[in-house]
């Protein structure tokens, strides 16, 4: 075992996090769900979602039996919804192809939707005690600083070098504890900002610290200005407090989630109502809400909500991807007990913002 791994394990024994929900009753399924949820999401945010998810789907078989809507409903608010869709798809494949048992082979794990090399390595290391190598965001930061690796991760040469460093340091013994230790170090001490180098167990040989480059590394990617797109959400409301929601296509932006009908800003209220067979005499009032911005990883979306109050439910709105849902049941969409079983649907963050009282 090299110096790096030994120092990390000694530190982990005294200071590592050992009471997180996924660190008890360790199984490949529980580790897998936690790893997917923790992608680009902080531990503090994930804990409540993870515990709720496990209550509903304690094993891979129960997750495979669920509908996509039910899974996305539990994912509402966690973001990056492709993770939830891929989790569901992978669960079905594990049940259908592997009789509900997780494959132990790295390549077979990577072949499952949403599981890359690092996630597969974490599952093997933590839940199977195999020598799995990981390289998530925290680990990249630790290794980039320790070895003073210059260049952004998106560069193939930089990514390859970091994978080699991760491979070099990963031990054979106690690989489960080592894997948790290096993730913990990045999350608690070797933070993106305000790293605590004095408390770091590997600071004695950290090249970035020796060269006074800790705050320069990892190399930041030059951010290009994000383009701005504009859209309208037509929020149709009935006197009994129901609103019209429309399910999006499974692929693409907010895939599989439910929003009020989204249309281009060039579409007028009059044309929207005509297209949907709404008679003008059935309209109580229309009002433009305050435009707000929802920012994605690659662009800004400026959303103008158009609220349309109707006297009655239009007969033509019977499309299979549309549903009238009581708005007061969607104010806290993560609270399942308040929502009838046929209305456990996943909502986009923009929809939650518009439907809040």
């Amino acid at each position: 075992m090299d110096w790096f791994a030994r120092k990390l394990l000694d530190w982990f024994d005294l200071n590592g996090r050992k009471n997180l929900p996924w660190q008890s009753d360790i199984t490949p399924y529980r580790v897998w769900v936690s790893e997917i949820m923790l992608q680009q999401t902080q531990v503090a945010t994930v804990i409540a979602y993870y515990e709720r998810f496990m209550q509903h789907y304690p094993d891979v078989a129960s997750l495979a039996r669920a509908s996509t809507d039910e899974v996305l409903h539990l994912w509402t608010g966690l973001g990056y919804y492709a993770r939830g869709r891929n989790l569901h798809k992978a669960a079905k494949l594990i049940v259908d192809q592997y009789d509900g048992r997780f494959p132990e082979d790295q390549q077979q794990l990577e072949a499952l939707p949403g599981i890359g090399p690092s996630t597969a390595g974490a599952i093997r290391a933590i839940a199977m005690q195999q020598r799995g190598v990981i390289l998530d965001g925290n680990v990249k930061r630790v290794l980039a600083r320790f070895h003073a690796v210059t260049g952004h991760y998106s560069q193939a040469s930089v990514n390859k070098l970091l994978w080699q460093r991760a491979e070099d340091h990963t031990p054979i013994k106690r690989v489960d504890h080592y894997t948790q230790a290096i993730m913990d170090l990045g999350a608690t001490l070797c933070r993106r900002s305000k790293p605590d180098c004095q408390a770091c167990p590997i600071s004695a040989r950290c090249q970035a610290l020796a060269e006074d480059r800790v705050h320069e590394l990892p190399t930041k990617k030059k951010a290009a200005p994000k383009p701005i797109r504009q859209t309208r959400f037509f929020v149709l409301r009935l006197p009994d407090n129901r609103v019209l929601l429309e399910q999006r296509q499974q692929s693409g932006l907010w895939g599989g989630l439910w929003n009020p009908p989204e249309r281009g800003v060039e579409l007028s209220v009059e044309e929207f109502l005509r297209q949907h067979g709404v008679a003008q005499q059935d309209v109580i009032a229309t009002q433009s809400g305050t435009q707000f911005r929802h920012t994605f990883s690659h662009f800004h979306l400026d959303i103008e909500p158009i609220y349309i109050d109707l006297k009655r439910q239009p007969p033509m709105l019977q499309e299979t991807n549309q549903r009238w849902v009581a708005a007061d049941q969607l104010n806290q969409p993560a609270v399942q007990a308040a929502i009838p079983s046929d209305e456990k649907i996943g909502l986009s963050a923009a929809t939650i913002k518009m439907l809040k009282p």
Side-chain angles (χ1 to χ4, degrees), residues 111-353:
L112 294 169
I115 297 183
S118 186
T119 301
I123 294 170
R124 292 176 61 225
I126 298 172
M128 301 174 182
Q129 284 74 53
Q130 296 185 14
R131 190 179 179 275
V133 181
I134 69 163
L135 191 67
D136 69 359
N138 285 325
V139 177
K140 287 177 180 177
R141 185 164 57 255
V142 170
L143 295 177
R145 285 173 173 165
F146 186 78
H147 292 285
V149 176
T150 301
H152 191 262
Y153 314 141
S154 58
Q155 298 174 241
S157 59
V158 174
N159 195 54
K160 182 179 180 180
L161 178 57
L162 290 173
W163 268 111
Q164 185 58 56
R165 295 291 182 251
E167 176 74 33
D168 294 342
H169 291 306
T170 301
I172 297 174
K173 295 182 179 180
R174 295 190 66 190
V175 66
D176 52 342
H177 290 167
Y178 169 84
T179 299
Q180 188 63 59
I182 193 168
M183 290 191 293
D184 281 3
L185 184 73
T188 62
L189 297 182
C190 195
R191 301 180 293 264
R192 183 178 290 105
S193 60
K194 298 182 180 179
D196 189 354
C197 296
Q198 287 188 335
C200 179
I202 57 172
S203 61
R205 298 188 186 180
C206 177
Q207 288 182 244
L209 183 61
E211 299 170 9
D212 194 24
R213 299 177 61 206
V214 172
H215 294 287
E216 296 176 18
L217 299 173
T219 304
K220 295 180 176 63
K221 186 176 182 179
K222 294 181 179 179
K226 292 183 178 181
I228 300 173
R229 302 179 189 175
Q230 295 181 318
T231 193
R232 278 181 165 177
F233 278 17
F234 289 87
V235 186
L236 275 66
R237 303 185 291 197
L238 298 177
D240 61 4
N241 199 38
R242 285 184 296 156
V243 297
L244 181 69
L245 297 183
E246 185 174 84
Q247 189 174 34
R248 304 178 73 92
Q249 293 182 354
Q250 291 298 323
S251 60
L253 185 68
W254 284 320
L257 298 184
W258 293 76
N259 288 340
E262 179 186 357
R263 303 294 185 265
V265 293
E266 70 282 354
L267 186 67
S268 66
V269 174
E270 293 74 20
E271 179 62 18
F272 175 83
L273 293 174
R274 189 191 66 78
Q275 291 178 1
H276 287 74
V278 179
Q280 191 61 46
Q281 59 265 29
D282 287 336
V283 177
I284 300 173
T286 63
Q287 179 182 358
S288 294
T290 303
Q291 185 183 82
F292 64 97
R293 174 169 293 183
H294 191 88
T295 298
F296 296 90
S297 59
H298 53 297
F299 70 95
H300 300 294
L301 183 65
D302 286 346
I303 301 170
E304 180 188 12
I306 306 293
Y307 297 97
I308 305 174
D309 294 310
L310 302 178
K311 296 178 181 178
R312 61 181 65 85
Q313 179 176 328
M316 289 185 65
L317 293 176
Q318 300 295 333
E319 298 181 34
T320 57
N321 69 328
Q322 294 181 334
R323 179 188 297 180
W324 291 95
V325 180
D328 59 2
Q329 294 176 342
L330 301 175
N331 295 336
Q332 300 181 47
V335 183
Q336 292 247 7
I339 302 176
S341 60
D342 64 339
E343 293 186 351
K344 293 176 181 176
I345 58 180
L347 304 174
S348 71
T351 295
I352 296 171
K353 182 180 180 69

Side-chain angles (χ1 to χ4, degrees), residues 45-61:
T45 301
V46 166
I47 289 176
Y49 282 92
Y50 179 84
E51 291 177 331
R52 190 181 304 118
F53 201 89
M54 284 299 149
Q55 289 174 0
H56 285 82
Y57 309 122
D59 51 43
V60 70

Side-chain angles (χ1 to χ4, degrees), residues 20-36 50 54 57-61 94 100-104 109 119-120 122-129 176:
L20 297 171
W22 45 88
Q23 292 176 320
S24 62
D25 188 24
I26 294 175
T27 66
Y29 173 74
R30 289 173 62 83
V31 171
W32 168 53
V33 173
S34 70
E35 287 296 316
I36 298 299
Y50 179 84
M54 284 299 149
Y57 309 122
D59 51 43
V60 70
I94 292 168
R101 295 178 61 85
F102 273 74
E104 298 186 8
L109 281 169
T119 301
I123 294 170
R124 292 176 61 225
I126 298 172
M128 301 174 182
Q129 284 74 53
D176 52 342

